[in-house]
Amino acid sequence: MAKLASQAPVPVFVAQGDDAPAETARLCLNSTLTIVETPRAAAILLVAGTIPASLIPNLHRLHDQLPHPRATVFWQAEPTDLLSEAVTVRNDDNLVSVLTDTRSSLLSGSHGTEADLLPDAPPNEWRGVGSHGQGGKGMMGGTPYGRPMAMTAADFRDGLELDAYTADFGPFLPMFPPGLVLTLTLQGDVIQKVSVVHLPFAGEGNAGAALLRLLGLPALAKRLLRGPSDDADFKRLIRLSGVRAAIPPGLGCAPIGSDVRERFERLTTDPGNPSKVHVDGVGLGDLLIGLEWHEAMLVLNSFDDESLRAICANTSSPELEEKNGDSMDHEGHAGHMS
Amino acid sequence: MTTLITIFLVLGLSVLFTAGLRTASGTDLADHITNPQQRPVLGGSDPKTHAWQRFHVRYYTMTLVLVAFEMEMMFMYPWAVVFVEEGPKALAEMGMFLTILSVGILYGWREGIFRWE
């Protein structure tokens, strides 16, 4: 059974770091690998490129979400202290054969599964303010599963006070540009507040392919990654798919000057030369607040890396300013228990 | 008797099938799901609050309009058949029914659901 299973494509979740090899985006073209969208579906966590010290706790959280048996492979990166036993791949190694071999040895049992890095305990004690653990603020009081209940806040659309969900998203979320961490406050799936925790990594960018994947056209995304975009067939397929109509008109336009449709067309027809946008003084709040989740993801992925970094830098972000103000010797593992 | 045997046979087979599935996935069920694995997938980040939250179902007014108009029509088809036999009695019943439904439509009107946005 293990032998049969090892012949199937290897499910890999890619955690992209800074200076990730250019080949990372094109891994999905390899038929022996399946690049999965969630760590729950992966057997191998592939860490491509250097993970900054401030994001190492995020990597460890991600690692623990992979089901057993699991393994971590560092590709052109140094393993973290807690993952020092992980497989390391250098420039000259054949990454794909290392991944398939690791998967086979995981299944045969010769490579033991990696244990959790974080303690098996809820982030807070599951107790309310009352003497018997009952009561407290929020919808029901207490901290079920160690997390406080969401508090009410006014919806900016009509002032209706319902529970506002606040969470950090990223840096290894497949629909986010790699490295980007945002604190988002949502009412339902409408974005109410946004602040930047970590800027996206600078890279060569594959926004066109990312947009096509988001729009449900993975085959065309692969075709774009594969090669010459001046292919007339490719342009015809894009036109026939009707994907242009699936992007709401005017989305992500003000005050940039071009909307997502326009940027999408440029990215798919001429990816090497993305349209320049006017980002002076434009923050993510101007672009994302009031959008539903899927629209916000389209907007985020429609920029080239340089413009997106500029927009994120313009966004008011208390956490980022605090970090920049701090000395550089911050502790890498802070927030593990949070 | 044959019907009874068939029912018990189907019941027995479905119990066997379920038991087989539970046994096959036994290793997964037996595993303790650790606290780090219970986290929602946020790409490595940690949620600040529990995901259990109330949010406004904004399509509820449209649901109200659907119920008001659709339910009306569903009742009208069988009513049209018995109307021939019953006459004014059926007409009065339909009148009462439409009055109740129109309260919902008036409420929707007050809420502004017929305004084009």
Side-chain angles (χ1 to χ4, degrees), chain A residues 136-153:
Chain A
K137 289 182 176 178
M139 191 161 63
M140 298 288 286
T143 53
Y145 299 98
R147 291 199 169 79
M149 301 300 293
M151 293 299 288
T152 52

Side-chain angles (χ1 to χ4, degrees), chain A residues 156-197:
Chain A
F156 76 89
R157 287 172 289 182
D158 54 7
L160 189 69
E161 295 225 349
L162 286 176
D163 302 327
Y165 182 69
T166 304
D168 285 356
F169 294 82
F172 308 117
L173 209 54
M175 65 287 275
F176 266 36
L180 178 65
V181 185
L182 297 179
T183 304
L184 296 173
T185 300
L186 301 156
Q187 291 260 14
D189 69 342
V190 176
I191 294 174
Q192 306 278 318
K193 271 189 220 160
V194 57
S195 67
V196 179
V197 182

Side-chain angles (χ1 to χ4, degrees), chain A residues 40 58 61 64-66 70 116 120 139 144 147-148 155 157-158 162-163 165 168-173 338, chain B residues 32-56 58:
Chain A
R40 302 254 199 261
N58 299 58
R61 283 192 208 107
D64 284 2
Q65 290 188 319
L66 264 76
R70 64 188 170 205
D116 277 0
D120 185 13
M139 191 161 63
R147 291 199 169 79
D155 190 324
R157 287 172 289 182
D158 54 7
L162 286 176
D163 302 327
Y165 182 69
D168 285 356
F169 294 82
F172 308 117
L173 209 54
S338 60
Chain B
H32 168 62
I33 299 169
T34 58
N35 267 281
Q37 286 185 334
Q38 286 174 13
R39 275 198 174 91
V41 177
L42 296 173
S45 286
D46 207 30
K48 290 186 170 54
T49 57
H50 198 280
W52 190 12
Q53 51 169 327
R54 296 164 298 176
F55 58 91
H56 191 212
R58 285 178 187 270

Side-chain angles (χ1 to χ4, degrees), chain A residues 36-271:
Chain A
V36 294
E37 299 276 303
T38 160
R40 302 254 199 261
I44 293 178
L45 174 63
L46 176 67
V47 184
T50 317
I51 305 292
S54 60
L55 297 184
I56 286 176
N58 299 58
L59 181 70
H60 290 165
R61 283 192 208 107
L62 186 76
H63 170 272
D64 284 2
Q65 290 188 319
L66 264 76
H68 294 285
R70 64 188 170 205
T72 311
V73 175
F74 282 84
W75 185 24
Q76 296 191 26
E78 284 302 310
T80 64
D81 292 343
L82 292 181
L83 287 166
S84 53
E85 300 294 310
V87 183
T88 313
V89 180
R90 291 181 304 278
N91 287 351
D92 46 352
D93 289 345
N94 185 353
L95 174 74
V96 177
S97 65
V98 171
L99 289 173
T100 45
D101 291 349
T102 310
R103 166 74 162 157
S104 306
S105 47
L106 266 181
L107 290 170
S108 65
S110 59
H111 187 302
T113 182
E114 290 170 358
D116 277 0
L117 304 175
L118 308 182
D120 185 13
N124 295 295
E125 197 186 353
W126 188 342
R127 276 184 75 82
V129 293
S131 53
H132 300 287
Q134 85 284 8
K137 289 182 176 178
M139 191 161 63
M140 298 288 286
T143 53
Y145 299 98
R147 291 199 169 79
M149 301 300 293
M151 293 299 288
T152 52
D155 190 324
F156 76 89
R157 287 172 289 182
D158 54 7
L160 189 69
E161 295 225 349
L162 286 176
D163 302 327
Y165 182 69
T166 304
D168 285 356
F169 294 82
F172 308 117
L173 209 54
M175 65 287 275
F176 266 36
L180 178 65
V181 185
L182 297 179
T183 304
L184 296 173
T185 300
L186 301 156
Q187 291 260 14
D189 69 342
V190 176
I191 294 174
Q192 306 278 318
K193 271 189 220 160
V194 57
S195 67
V196 179
V197 182
H198 193 275
L199 295 180
F201 300 129
E204 68 175 50
N206 291 292
L211 273 177
L212 281 169
R213 253 196 306 273
L214 277 175
L215 290 160
L217 298 168
L220 287 180
K222 282 182 183 176
R223 194 164 170 156
L224 184 65
L225 284 171
R226 213 173 265 135
S229 56
D230 51 345
D231 184 356
D233 278 351
F234 176 73
K235 284 178 188 163
R236 202 185 68 245
L237 284 171
I238 292 262
R239 202 174 55 248
L240 286 176
S241 70
V243 68
R244 197 177 174 278
I247 305 171
L251 178 66
C253 183
I256 296 266
S258 66
D259 64 354
V260 175
R261 267 190 191 181
E262 206 177 317
R263 295 197 287 274
F264 168 76
E265 273 175 18
R266 190 69 177 264
L267 283 166
T268 47
T269 51
D270 193 6

